[in-house]
C-alpha cells in the first residue's frame, strides 16, 4: 500500500528536509516517528526537498508500506490509513515543529514528487517601511532598505515562462536548470510586509531565494528589470544577486492532476527538459 501524507513544519531547527547522518532533518524526524508506530525502515518520498530553515504549510510525501508495516497498521485500535496521522501526532509530542495533517491511501499511479504539476512558495520581507513584528521573525526576512514594491513586481513578472534558470540556481551535476515559472509577483499585505507568491512546475536548488534576491536588487535600485533578464539569459551567476535567507520562505501548496492522469504525469516529469520542448 502506498500512503499519501500531507505535512507542515517550521524549518527553523531543521537542517532541511533530506535525511543526513547526525543532523536533525524533517525526513529523519518523520521516518523515526513512523518506525516507532509501524516498525521497519520507512522511506519517505517528498514533493519538494526544502533547504535548511525553509518552512512548509502544504508539503506532500508518500510512503510505501511493507507487508509487516501494513499488518501493524491494521492491528491498531483504528486500523485505517487515515488513523496513522493521529498516531504520529501522539509520537511527535506536544507542540512539535513538524505535523502530519492527513494520511490516506494514495490513488493508483500517485508519486509525491513526479506526479506533481506545480509547487507554490511564499516569501515574506520586512523592509524599512514595515514595523518590526517579533512574532513573525521566524518566517520573515528583514531587508534594511526602502524597497520599491512596484519595481520588484515588474522584475518578478519578467521571469515568467519557460527559461533556463542556471543563473538563479545552485548547479548540481546531471540536473537540468530549465523550469517553467507559472506565476511570480509581489504585493504588500495589510501590515506592509512584502509578500511574493511563486509558482512553477518545479524548482531547482535555491532558485526561489535567488529570484527573490534579484527582485530585491531591483527594489533597491541596484539593478533594472532588463538587467535581471539579461543575467537570466546569459546563464551566469553574479555577485549582485544575493540568495536571500531561508527563514522567509514557505512551501504552501503542491498541485496534482486528476487521479487518472497521475501515472502519465509522473512519466512526463521524469523526461529531461529542454527549451525546445512543447
Amino acid at each position: 500500500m502506498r500512503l499519501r501524507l500531507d505535512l507542515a513544519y517550521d524549518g527553523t531547527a531543521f537542517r532541511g528536509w533530506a535525511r543526513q547522518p547526525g543532523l536533525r532533518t524533517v525526513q529523519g524526524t518523520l521516518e523515526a516517528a513512523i518506525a516507532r508506530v509501524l516498525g521497519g525502515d520507512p522511506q519517505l518520498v517528498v514533493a519538494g526537498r526544502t533547504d535548511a530553515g525553509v518552512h512548509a504549510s502544504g508539503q506532500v510525501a508518500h510512503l510505501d508500506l511493507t507487508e509487516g508495516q501494513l499488518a501493524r497498521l491494521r492491528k491498531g485500535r483504528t486500523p485505517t490509513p487515515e488513523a496513522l496521522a493521529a498516531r504520529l501526532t501522539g509520537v511527535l509530542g506536544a507542540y512539535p515543529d513538524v505535523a502530519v495533517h492527513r494520511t490516506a491511501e494514495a490513488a493508483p499511479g500517485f508519486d509525491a514528487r513526479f506526479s506533481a504539476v506545480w509547487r507554490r512558495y511564499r516569501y515574506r520581507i520586512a523592509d524599512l517601511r514595515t514595523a518590526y513584528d517579533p512574532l513573525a521573525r521566524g518566517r520573515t526576512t528583514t531587508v534594511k532598505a526602502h524597497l520599491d514594491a512596484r519595481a520588484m513586481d515588474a522584475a518578478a513578472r519578467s521571469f515568467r515562462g519557460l527559461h533556463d534558470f542556471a543563473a538563479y540556481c545552485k548547479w548540481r551535476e546531471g540536473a537540468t536548470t530549465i523550469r517553467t515559472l507559472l506565476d511570480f509577483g509581489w504585493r504588500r499585505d495589510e501590515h506592509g510586509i512584502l509578500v511574493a507568491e511563486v509558482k512553477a512546475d518545479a524548482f531547482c536548488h535555491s532558485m526561489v531565494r535567488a529570484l527573490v534576491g534579484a527582485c530585491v536588487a531591483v527594489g533597491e535600485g541596484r539593478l533594472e528589470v532588463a538587467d535581471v533578464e539579461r543575467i537570466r539569459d546569459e546563464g551566469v551567476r553574479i555577485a549582485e544577486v544575493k540568495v536571500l535567507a531561508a527563514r522567509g520562505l514557505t512551501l504552501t501548496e503542491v498541485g496534482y492532476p486528476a487521479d487518472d492522469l497521475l501515472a502519465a504525469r509522473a512519466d512526463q516529469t521524469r523526461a529531461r527538459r529542454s527549451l525546445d520542448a512543447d
Side-chain angles (χ1 to χ4, degrees):
M1 178 186 290
R2 174 165 289 185
L3 297 183
R4 169 175 168 161
L5 296 82
D6 290 86
L7 317 167
Y9 46 87
D10 178 341
T12 304
F14 289 110
R15 296 298 299 272
W17 164 266
R19 185 191 320 106
Q20 300 180 62
L23 298 176
R24 185 172 185 260
T25 67
V26 182
Q27 183 182 15
T29 299
L30 286 172
E31 288 178 349
I34 294 168
R36 285 185 60 185
V37 175
L38 299 179
D41 182 23
Q43 303 286 324
L44 289 169
V45 175
V46 73
R49 291 175 54 167
T50 50
D51 292 338
V54 176
H55 316 298
S57 59
Q59 181 70 279
V60 181
H62 78 243
L63 171 69
D64 290 327
L65 298 182
T66 65
E67 291 296 329
Q69 290 170 331
L70 186 56
R72 286 186 62 165
L73 176 67
R74 289 172 173 164
K75 285 181 180 179
R77 294 182 180 179
T78 49
T80 64
E82 292 75 15
L84 180 60
R87 293 165 69 179
L88 291 175
T89 297
V91 169
L92 291 167
Y95 306 108
D97 49 5
V98 56
V100 181
H101 288 159
R102 177 177 175 267
T103 52
E105 184 173 356
F110 176 80
D111 185 293
R113 177 184 176 189
F114 290 112
S115 294
V117 178
W118 48 262
R119 287 92 170 156
R120 189 193 308 275
Y121 283 85
R122 178 176 296 129
Y123 199 94
R124 291 166 45 91
I125 295 175
D127 67 350
L128 291 179
R129 302 181 185 181
T130 311
Y132 174 71
D133 181 0
L135 299 181
R137 69 189 187 279
R139 60 190 181 97
T140 307
T141 296
T142 298
V143 174
K144 295 182 178 180
H146 291 281
L147 297 177
D148 183 337
R150 183 172 297 181
M152 291 172 65
D153 188 60
R157 291 174 183 273
S158 75
F159 285 117
R160 293 177 180 177
L162 176 67
H163 302 286
D164 188 337
F165 287 96
Y168 297 102
C169 295
K170 287 186 178 179
W171 183 79
R172 286 180 171 175
E173 186 175 357
T176 179
T177 51
I178 297 170
R179 297 290 188 268
T180 300
L181 200 61
L182 301 169
D183 190 25
F184 189 15
W186 288 91
R187 61 179 175 84
R188 284 192 187 269
D189 69 9
E190 64 274 20
H191 304 295
I193 297 291
L194 283 155
V195 180
E197 299 287 345
V198 192
K199 178 182 176 182
D201 58 345
F203 294 92
C204 47
H205 190 208
S206 81
M207 177 176 164
V208 177
R209 293 190 287 135
L211 291 176
V212 168
C215 291
V216 166
V218 173
E220 291 176 327
R222 294 187 288 110
L223 294 176
E224 301 292 333
V225 173
D227 295 324
V228 297
E229 290 180 305
R230 173 182 50 78
I231 293 165
R232 178 199 65 204
D233 294 340
E234 291 177 351
V236 179
R237 301 191 70 164
I238 65 170
E240 286 83 356
V241 175
K242 307 295 184 184
V243 176
L244 261 66
R247 67 191 310 123
L249 185 60
T250 301
L251 172 61
T252 59
E253 190 178 3
V254 182
Y256 293 95
D259 288 353
D260 61 337
L261 300 176
L262 288 167
R265 172 60 186 178
D267 291 339
Q268 179 187 18
T269 305
R270 288 185 177 96
R272 187 173 180 85
R273 305 160 195 244
S274 74
L275 287 175
D276 297 325
D278 182 1

